[in-house]
Amino acid sequence: MDRRTQWLRGVLDLCVLGALARGESYGYEIAQRLEAGGLGSIAGGTLYPALLRLERLGLVVADWRAGDGGPARKYYRLSPDGTTALSSAAADWAVFVDNVTAMMEVP
């Protein structure tokens, strides 16, 4: 397993919340947002369990909607608790990144 995959495991939930902060969306579109954000291709077998986990935690709300000429899609959006969790985690993440970056500086 490469480093990027290992790192992504630790921050995928946070990144999904961040993608949903830009507006409600369905799974494939969320994956596209993550890829466009530089995280690479996220497989459905990785993304959908994260979405289910976030939904069970009450951080994401989901509902099914009829598709335009296609199958119904499940749309996801941040709950108020999800917005709060994202703000808190983003601040913690910024501190963590600063600390890791400082540790990697060569004297």
Side-chain angles (χ1 to χ4, degrees):
M1 189 179 319
D2 67 8
R3 281 191 195 120
R4 189 195 71 78
T5 301
Q6 291 175 338
W7 294 337
L8 186 57
R9 279 185 171 190
V11 295
L12 181 60
D13 288 4
L14 179 59
C15 292
V16 169
L17 293 177
L20 289 172
R22 288 153 178 77
E24 70 177 0
S25 189
Y26 54 94
Y28 178 72
E29 190 174 58
I30 294 167
Q32 288 181 314
R33 287 179 187 177
L34 295 171
E35 187 169 5
L39 299 179
S41 179
I42 308 297
T46 299
L47 178 60
Y48 289 103
L51 286 164
L52 180 59
R53 183 172 48 254
L54 293 169
E55 190 177 359
R56 286 182 176 160
L57 291 170
L59 303 178
V60 168
V61 177
D63 60 274
W64 286 94
R65 297 187 195 156
D68 296 331
R73 291 183 175 152
K74 192 172 186 180
Y75 279 79
Y76 301 88
R77 66 184 176 281
L78 288 181
S79 69
D81 286 346
T83 301
T84 300
L86 176 60
S87 293
S88 175
D92 292 343
W93 178 254
V95 170
F96 181 76
V97 167
D98 288 346
N99 291 339
V100 170
T101 300
M103 291 300 299
M104 290 192 291
E105 290 178 3
V106 177

